[in-house]
Amino acid sequence: MKGQNENLSKDKEHDEEYPKTIKLIPTVERKIVRGEGYSKHGDAWLHPEVDEEGEFESKVRNLVDWLARQDLPEVGNFYADSDMRKLNLVKYFNALFWIKPDCMFIGEAPGVHGCVKTGIPFTSERLIQERRLERHFPGTRFVVEGNKSEASATVIWGAVDRLSKPPVMWNAFPLHPRKKDGSNRTPTSTELEMGLYALSAVMDLFPGVKVISVGKKAEKVCKKIGVQTAGHLIHPSYHAKEFREQFETHFFN
């Protein structure tokens, strides 16, 4: 417990520096210090991909800062409330930059027990505490405060573990539409219009990804806002077996 608290304390120190000193793409810096580079000559850090990295960094900063500034009635903005969750999202996009994902899973909105607590769509505190995401993002450490599990996130990442690289995870509405008691609710048309800006920004970060809707609500939302999808998966909540079967058919048959 002491070691975990020390790690959280260190990460908190980094969180408090966001966004002024955050390094979105630390890999280049590490390799230069080690003298390794990306080629046998160690000079690849001079190549054009560094410009691509800088442009990506700027877009991510703008998106995350924009999300944190949104103030809507009956909507929980967990990015405004926590530098930790903002930093988790930045780290997540950073890791995906190098993976170059082929597809994007898009749901309807963050859940109170999942993304709301982590800042990363379709994840949970438990998955991050168990370092499940590090299977796909080695060297990237995400930080959470608790150990809450979410069934849907567990099922989805169990399936994603079978892929050679993970998809981008996002939601049609990126913040938490909530009822007075704090539970989840369906986002309004106005909220979905706001979410379209963020969705467009994420798709711009990963051009050419194929969108797969997760859940009937997400499927309807994609049609409503004009997002062309390459497939649809049933939501794993209460339908874990069917989700796994559809995932198998879509990706492996």
Side-chain angles (χ1 to χ4, degrees):
M1 179 64 72
K2 179 180 179 181
Q4 182 180 6
N5 290 336
E6 291 176 350
N7 288 336
L8 287 174
S9 177
K10 292 179 181 178
D11 278 296
K12 184 178 181 181
E13 292 176 5
H14 290 296
D15 290 349
E16 291 173 353
E17 297 175 352
Y18 176 89
K20 187 165 54 178
T21 62
I22 185 172
K23 295 290 185 181
L24 281 180
I25 314 294
T27 311
V28 173
E29 185 176 70
R30 287 202 303 270
K31 287 183 176 291
I32 292 172
V33 171
R34 294 174 183 172
E36 298 172 0
Y38 283 88
S39 71
K40 62 182 179 181
H41 305 295
D43 61 353
W45 59 280
L46 296 172
H47 291 180
E49 57 264 30
V50 176
D51 290 335
E52 180 185 349
E53 173 188 345
E55 182 180 357
F56 184 90
E57 173 180 348
S58 178
K59 289 179 179 179
V60 169
R61 286 176 181 269
N62 290 338
L63 173 59
V64 175
D65 289 341
W66 181 85
L67 286 169
R69 290 195 304 269
Q70 302 311 300
D71 184 13
L72 301 173
E74 299 182 7
V75 170
N77 190 337
F78 44 92
Y79 296 114
D81 296 341
S82 169
D83 284 343
M84 177 198 74
R85 296 179 192 116
K86 286 195 295 185
L87 187 56
N88 278 343
L89 184 61
V90 168
K91 288 179 179 179
Y92 173 65
F93 284 140
N94 173 31
L96 285 170
F97 173 85
W98 296 104
I99 290 173
K100 306 299 182 189
D102 300 317
C103 64
M104 172 190 292
F105 284 5
I106 179 170
E108 181 187 41
V112 66
H113 298 306
C115 179
V116 169
K117 294 185 178 296
T118 67
I120 305 172
F122 292 106
T123 63
S124 69
E125 291 176 318
R126 179 75 56 81
L127 288 174
I128 290 176
Q129 291 282 22
E130 294 176 349
R131 301 191 180 184
R132 288 283 301 280
L133 275 66
E134 291 185 34
R135 299 181 186 180
H136 302 276
F137 310 123
T140 300
R141 182 70 187 274
F142 303 101
V143 179
V144 290
E145 297 171 339
N147 194 35
K148 183 73 176 180
S149 179
E150 186 191 61
S152 296
T154 301
V155 173
I156 286 177
W157 280 93
V160 168
D161 282 345
R162 300 186 59 205
L163 301 177
S164 59
K165 51 185 175 181
V168 183
M169 306 284 200
W170 199 245
N171 286 295
F173 183 60
L175 303 179
H176 182 223
R178 62 189 182 189
K179 298 178 181 178
K180 291 182 179 181
D181 62 0
S183 60
N184 304 326
R185 65 168 174 80
T186 300
T188 66
S189 297
T190 300
E191 291 163 352
L192 291 173
E193 289 177 8
M194 169 269 189
L196 183 56
Y197 173 84
L199 175 59
S200 298
V202 173
M203 295 184 74
D204 184 54
L205 291 174
F206 305 99
V209 293
K210 297 179 179 179
V211 176
I212 298 173
S213 56
V214 180
K216 290 183 178 179
K217 293 181 180 179
E219 184 179 27
K220 291 179 180 178
V221 168
C222 285
K223 290 180 179 179
K224 183 176 182 179
I225 63 180
V227 174
Q228 185 174 0
T229 59
H232 171 73
L233 297 172
I234 194 170
H235 199 283
S237 178
Y238 306 111
H239 302 284
K241 182 175 182 294
E242 292 87 344
F243 173 86
R244 294 189 185 100
E245 291 172 348
Q246 290 183 0
F247 187 94
E248 178 77 21
T249 299
H250 185 89
F251 288 98
F252 301 106
N253 289 342

